Amino acid sequence: MQKLRVQLQRVVDPILYGRREELMKQRSEKTLEDKEEQYRKPMVFLDQLLNMQRGDQDLEMQEIENHLYTIIGAGSETTANQVAYVLLLLAMHTDVQDRVYEEILSIYGSSTLDVSYETISAQTYLEQVIKESMRLFPVAPLIGRETIEPVKLGNIVVPPGVTLLINILTVHRNKQLWGERADVFDPDRFDPLTYNAHKHHPFSYIPFGGGPRNCIGYRYGMFAMKIMVTQMLHRYRLSTPLSVNDSLHLSFAVTLGNIVVPPGVTLLINILTVHRNKQLWGKRADVFDPDRFDPSTYNAHKHHPFSYIPFGGGPRNCIGYRYGMFAMKIMVTQMLHRYRLSTPLSVNDSLHLSFAVTLKTGVGHTICIKSRADHTQ
């Protein structure tokens, strides 16, 4: 992992710091009106990060680097996996492969490829092939969305704050949406002369997600895939012992960084570390500050949905969380109504924790309880 990070830094840092210098120079030369006009114009992702502020401060360069590494990592793996499906489908459907190759020859000829935005954009049939491969084999088959208001699904009303998982693979093969041949590989269904996206349900085709939080790299991903497939087919002819009638056995794994976790693996999530993560909770993550949960200022939707999970998260979170919260509030209320608490420990003392079934202090700590009625201990 560290080796990969070093390699990424060699590529990313010159671009990142070079662009920062350019923007700083532009800022110093522009008037206030010019700056306001600049912010109205669309910006590439890197410029957005470099112009973004938290409060009155620019984002730290380390944070920007981390965002870029995430984009590169997410875009590289998913793109490579999708291209693998495209190549497999082309190997299984040689007639489609021949049409893609003919399109390549008509645009580039048989000599060295001179790839440009214009040539890639002209490869419309290859784009149909890629779109159809993403319909049948979306590399991110599940996406999550959290409800922010009550949502009615059939006879079920889903309350706010619930994370819903959308099975894209099932949506893309739904015969009510895609017809009786929904399971058939047919790039012509995306022929721009006949395909009309407005006649389909707006969420019937969502390989890059949907709505305002869809994948920000979908244009980059499409261009990258077209370039890779073009390079392959320009040099090689593909074949496979699989036939179009063979079923592909798919499995869903989870990718954590560069590690792919296969199905059936139990992952342990360290909630203590999550809850004290400074990227999630700020530099004062280790400080006891109940005001951070002040309902007039705290907005759970602005936090990562799993940044605060004392009762777990997702569909298998603790079913007794409401009871637990009420029980704790009653017990603390009973105590503080009768007693004032004190301890020889100061706020700077570290508590030594140990983990058993539950988290507890490794050694006992004294709390003095003084009655509010008669001031006796």
Side-chain angles (χ1 to χ4, degrees):
M1 179 67 76
Q2 185 60 34
K3 185 178 179 181
L4 178 62
R5 188 179 183 89
V6 171
Q7 291 174 339
L8 276 174
Q9 281 180 322
R10 290 174 184 167
V11 176
V12 171
D13 283 4
I15 300 171
L16 171 59
Y17 287 91
R19 184 56 180 161
R20 184 180 69 164
E21 293 298 323
E22 292 177 10
L23 290 179
M24 291 177 66
K25 184 178 179 181
Q26 291 175 12
R27 286 180 189 175
S28 64
E29 295 173 350
K30 288 183 177 180
T31 64
L32 179 61
E33 291 77 11
D34 291 334
K35 292 177 181 178
E36 291 178 351
E37 180 63 26
Q38 177 188 348
Y39 283 112
R40 295 191 187 100
K41 296 179 180 179
M43 288 185 284
V44 298
F45 183 63
L46 176 57
D47 287 0
Q48 287 180 333
L49 290 174
L50 289 169
N51 281 290
M52 193 176 293
Q53 291 187 326
R54 184 177 287 114
D56 296 328
Q57 300 294 321
D58 292 340
L59 296 184
E60 294 182 4
M61 293 301 285
Q62 183 62 59
E63 183 176 355
I64 294 176
E65 282 188 24
N66 291 338
H67 284 306
L68 294 177
Y69 295 155
T70 299
I71 290 294
I72 293 171
S76 299
E77 183 192 7
T78 52
T79 301
N81 287 341
Q82 193 66 60
V83 166
Y85 282 118
V86 174
L87 298 179
L88 177 60
L89 288 167
L90 289 174
M92 295 171 68
H93 300 80
T94 54
D95 56 329
V96 175
Q97 182 181 168
D98 290 340
R99 284 183 63 181
V100 175
Y101 181 65
E102 289 169 6
E103 182 181 64
I104 292 172
L105 289 181
S106 68
I107 295 173
Y108 300 98
S110 57
S111 59
T112 304
L113 294 176
D114 185 14
V115 176
S116 66
Y117 176 85
E118 289 73 23
T119 59
I120 289 297
S121 299
Q123 292 178 257
T124 55
Y125 185 66
L126 174 56
E127 185 162 326
Q128 291 173 220
V129 171
I130 293 173
K131 285 182 176 179
E132 178 69 345
S133 78
M134 291 191 294
R135 186 185 69 83
L136 287 174
F137 301 102
V139 292
L142 293 175
I143 57 172
R145 291 292 185 269
E146 182 179 337
T147 56
I148 59 175
E149 59 185 34
V151 176
K152 189 173 183 180
L153 299 176
N155 295 321
I156 301 172
V157 176
V158 182
V162 173
T163 299
L164 300 175
L165 291 179
I166 297 99
N167 189 330
I168 298 176
L169 188 67
T170 302
V171 172
H172 283 186
R173 298 190 181 210
N174 187 307
K175 292 185 178 181
Q176 289 183 328
L177 297 172
W178 294 97
E180 290 300 317
R181 300 178 70 251
D183 292 323
V184 177
F185 176 68
D186 179 14
D188 285 331
R189 73 173 80 240
F190 288 102
D191 186 336
L193 297 177
T194 57
Y195 178 73
N196 187 344
H198 300 296
K199 291 184 179 180
H200 288 257
H201 189 285
F203 294 103
S204 62
Y205 184 68
I206 47 175
F208 293 101
R213 294 186 63 83
N214 67 339
C215 175
I216 62 174
Y218 71 97
R219 293 185 185 276
Y220 162 79
M222 178 59 76
F223 271 74
M225 287 187 285
K226 291 174 81 170
I227 291 171
M228 284 189 275
V229 175
T230 298
Q231 293 280 5
M232 283 292 295
L233 293 192
H234 188 254
R235 298 183 181 185
Y236 307 105
R237 181 172 179 81
L238 309 176
S239 62
T240 177
L242 292 172
S243 74
V244 293
N245 296 319
D246 289 326
S247 297
L248 299 180
H249 299 285
L250 305 175
S251 65
F252 179 69
V254 178
T255 302
L256 301 175
N258 293 317
I259 302 172
V260 176
V261 183
V265 173
T266 299
L267 299 176
L268 293 180
I269 296 107
N270 190 330
I271 298 176
L272 186 67
T273 302
V274 172
H275 285 185
R276 300 190 182 203
N277 187 305
K278 293 185 178 180
Q279 288 185 329
L280 297 172
W281 294 97
K283 294 181 179 179
R284 300 178 70 252
D286 292 325
V287 177
F288 176 68
D289 180 14
D291 286 333
R292 72 173 82 239
F293 289 103
D294 184 336
S296 64
T297 56
Y298 177 73
N299 187 343
H301 300 299
K302 291 184 178 180
H303 289 257
H304 189 285
F306 294 102
S307 62
Y308 184 68
I309 47 175
F311 294 99
R316 294 186 63 84
N317 67 341
C318 176
I319 61 173
Y321 72 98
R322 292 186 185 276
Y323 163 78
M325 179 59 76
F326 271 75
M328 288 187 285
K329 290 171 77 172
I330 291 170
M331 285 188 276
V332 174
T333 298
Q334 292 280 6
M335 283 292 294
L336 293 192
H337 186 255
R338 298 182 180 186
Y339 307 106
R340 179 173 178 81
L341 309 178
S342 62
T343 177
L345 292 172
S346 74
V347 293
N348 297 318
D349 288 328
S350 297
L351 298 180
H352 300 285
L353 305 175
S354 66
F355 178 71
V357 177
T358 56
L359 189 70
K360 58 184 180 181
T361 55
V363 294
H365 294 291
T366 302
I367 295 179
C368 300
I369 302 175
K370 183 179 292 186
S371 172
R372 296 183 185 275
D374 56 15
H375 304 291
T376 60
Q377 291 191 23

